[in-house]
Amino acid sequence: MTRAEDRILVQEHLAHAAEPKPLSADEKAELEARIKATLKAQDAVLVAHYYTDPDIQRLAEETGGCVADSLEMARFGNQHPASTVVVAGVRFMGETAKILNPEKRVLMPTLEATCSLDVGCPEDEFAAFCDEHPDRTVVVYANTSAAVKARADWVVTSSCAQAIVEDLDARGEKILWAPDKHLGHYVQKTTGADMLLWDGSCIVHEEFKYRGLEDLKALYPEAAVLVHPESPDAVVAMADVVGSTSQLIHAVQTLPNEKFIVATDNGIFYKMQQLAPNKILLEAPTAGNGATCRSCAHCPWMAMNGLENLLQVLERGDQVVEVDDALRERALRPLRRMLDFTANMNLKAAGNA
C-alpha cells in the first residue's frame, strides 16, 4: 500500500469518528451509577486501555475491571470469570478478547473505533506481501485485524516485541514484520535481526516532532523524556526511556526526575498521575510551530469510547464482537504463542529476582 492510499483510508475512517458529547457532573454521576449496576446484573467486566477517557479508566477500576496495555487486557479478559467482557478501546482489542474467549460475549461501546495501523494493513495486501516472502517468519503487532493475525506465526505487543524477535533471531529466523514501521525499525535496531518491514504507522505517534521535542527539552533540561517506540526514529533517539505504555508508567514511578516529557497518547496521563501524583507531566509536541495535527497526541478512535455508549451497549446488547470460528482458530495460534512466551519470560524473571 502506498502512503497516499494509506492516508486516504485513515482519513475516511476519521471522517466518521465522533467523540462523545461533554457531560455535566450530574450526568456523569447518573451514567456511572447505571453502568455499575448493569455490569453487576449482567455478570460483565469492563476492560479499558490506558488511552481511553479517564472516566472510563476510573470506572473500570472501581468495578473490579482492568486498565492496562493491550497485552494485559488480553490476559485479564482471558482469566476473568465474567461471562461478558466489555472492551473499551479499539476494535482489534475486542477481536483479541473474542479470539481468546470464544465462549464469552464480547461487547464494545462502539465497533467503529479502529486504528490507523489496522486500517493501513488490509488482509489481502498483507497476504500478498507474505506470499512474496515465504522464507520469513511472520510477526505482526497486536494492532491488526483478526484476519492479519491469522496469517501470522507470532503476534507481539510493544512490551514483548523485542524479546520475541531476539529469540527468533537467535534461532536464525528471518522476520517479516507488520504493520508499524517505527516500532519495527526500533526492534530491528535493538536486536540486530533480519527484518523486512511493512510500511505502516500510528497517526498519534508519528506526529511527535524532533524539533519541537528538542525545544521543550531545552526549556526543561532536567525532565526525563519518555517515548513509545511507535514514534519516529529522531524522537526515539532523544528518549531517556523507550517502552510500551506499561513500561513508561513504571518509569514515571521509579525514576528520580520530577518532570517528564511524554511522547505517547495523552490518555496515559491519568494512570501516570494516579501512581505518581507528585510528578509533573508534559506532553511532547506533535505538530510543528503554527501547524495543525490530525490527532494532537490523542487517538481519535480511543476518544469514541464514552459513558453514554458504554451504557447503551450494556442495555441494548448490540456492538457485539464476532470472529468466524475458522478464522479464530488460526488467529489463536500466534496469540497463544505470545502469551505462553511472555508467561515463561515472567517466570524466569521472577526466578532470577
Side-chain angles (χ1 to χ4, degrees):
M1 172 178 286
T2 66
R3 295 298 299 156
E5 290 170 339
D6 182 15
R7 289 183 181 277
I8 289 169
L9 275 172
V10 170
Q11 291 297 343
E12 286 176 349
H13 278 262
L14 283 172
H16 295 94
E19 291 191 27
K21 69 179 184 182
L23 299 169
S24 68
D26 288 343
E27 288 173 324
K28 282 185 182 181
E30 181 184 354
L31 285 167
E32 289 172 3
R34 291 171 64 186
I35 290 167
K36 289 177 180 180
T38 310
L39 284 168
K40 187 175 181 179
Q42 297 200 16
D43 186 33
V45 65
L46 175 60
V47 181
H49 192 270
Y50 289 128
Y51 294 164
T52 55
D53 186 275
D55 289 331
I56 299 286
Q57 295 185 51
R58 179 171 46 78
L59 193 57
E61 293 170 337
E62 291 177 355
T63 55
C66 168
V67 179
D69 60 16
S70 56
L71 177 56
E72 290 306 317
M73 288 173 73
R75 282 202 186 106
F76 186 89
N78 185 233
Q79 295 169 359
H80 198 279
S83 59
T84 294
V85 179
V86 185
V87 179
V90 292
R91 185 167 181 133
F92 78 81
M93 296 173 183
E95 286 186 338
T96 299
K98 187 62 179 179
I99 291 166
L100 292 170
N101 304 280
E103 76 288 354
K104 295 184 180 183
R105 183 177 64 150
V106 177
L107 305 175
M108 297 191 71
T110 172
L111 295 178
E112 293 299 311
T114 186
C115 168
S116 56
L117 290 169
D118 187 349
V119 172
C121 190
E123 171 192 1
D124 54 347
E125 295 183 34
F126 180 67
F129 187 53
C130 293
D131 289 342
E132 291 170 6
H133 307 281
D135 59 324
R136 291 183 175 267
T137 298
V138 180
V139 179
V140 302
Y141 194 25
N143 301 39
T144 47
S145 67
V148 167
K149 288 181 176 70
R151 185 59 196 257
D153 299 299
W154 286 84
V155 172
V156 299
T157 67
S158 54
S159 61
C160 64
Q162 189 172 344
I164 288 174
V165 169
E166 196 170 52
D167 185 71
L168 294 173
D169 179 60
R171 299 186 221 165
E173 298 185 36
K174 297 188 295 183
I175 309 299
L176 185 154
W177 169 277
D180 190 279
K181 63 181 179 181
H182 297 305
L183 176 58
H185 184 259
Y186 175 75
V187 172
Q188 184 180 44
K189 184 177 179 180
T190 55
T191 64
D194 182 339
M195 295 175 64
L196 181 64
L197 308 181
W198 180 268
D199 185 16
S201 62
C202 166
I203 65 167
V204 176
H205 293 95
E206 193 171 51
E207 287 183 340
F208 292 116
K209 307 301 181 187
Y210 166 78
R211 189 63 61 194
L213 181 55
E214 187 179 48
D215 292 343
L216 189 59
K217 178 67 174 176
L219 285 173
Y220 302 99
E222 75 283 13
V225 178
L226 310 181
V227 177
H228 192 284
E230 289 179 27
S231 305
D233 290 347
V235 173
V236 170
M238 287 195 67
D240 295 292
V241 176
V242 181
S244 67
T245 48
S246 56
Q247 290 162 348
L248 298 185
I249 290 168
H250 181 70
V252 169
Q253 291 178 269
T254 56
L255 290 181
N257 306 67
E258 179 189 12
K259 296 183 176 69
F260 293 86
I261 300 171
V262 184
T264 191
D265 190 294
N266 60 26
I268 202 173
F269 281 32
Y270 168 78
K271 181 56 69 174
M272 285 181 168
Q273 207 72 77
Q274 182 188 59
L275 296 175
N278 297 323
K279 300 298 177 75
I280 297 171
L281 308 177
L282 307 166
E283 286 189 26
T286 49
N289 294 336
T292 58
C293 60
R294 290 180 296 168
S295 69
C296 297
H298 188 47
C299 174
W301 294 294
M302 286 286 188
M304 293 172 70
N305 293 272
L307 295 176
E308 287 188 303
N309 56 11
L310 173 55
L311 178 61
Q312 286 173 358
V313 73
L314 283 166
E315 292 183 337
R316 297 176 184 174
D318 57 0
Q319 307 299 313
V320 181
V321 179
E322 301 287 0
V323 179
D324 175 78
D325 285 342
L327 178 64
R328 189 195 71 81
E329 289 292 337
R330 297 199 306 275
L332 179 61
R333 287 192 290 269
L335 274 168
R336 182 56 62 192
R337 285 192 185 110
M338 174 186 70
L339 293 173
D340 290 344
F341 182 94
T342 53
N344 289 334
M345 186 172 67
N346 292 337
L347 282 175
K348 289 178 182 177
N352 294 328

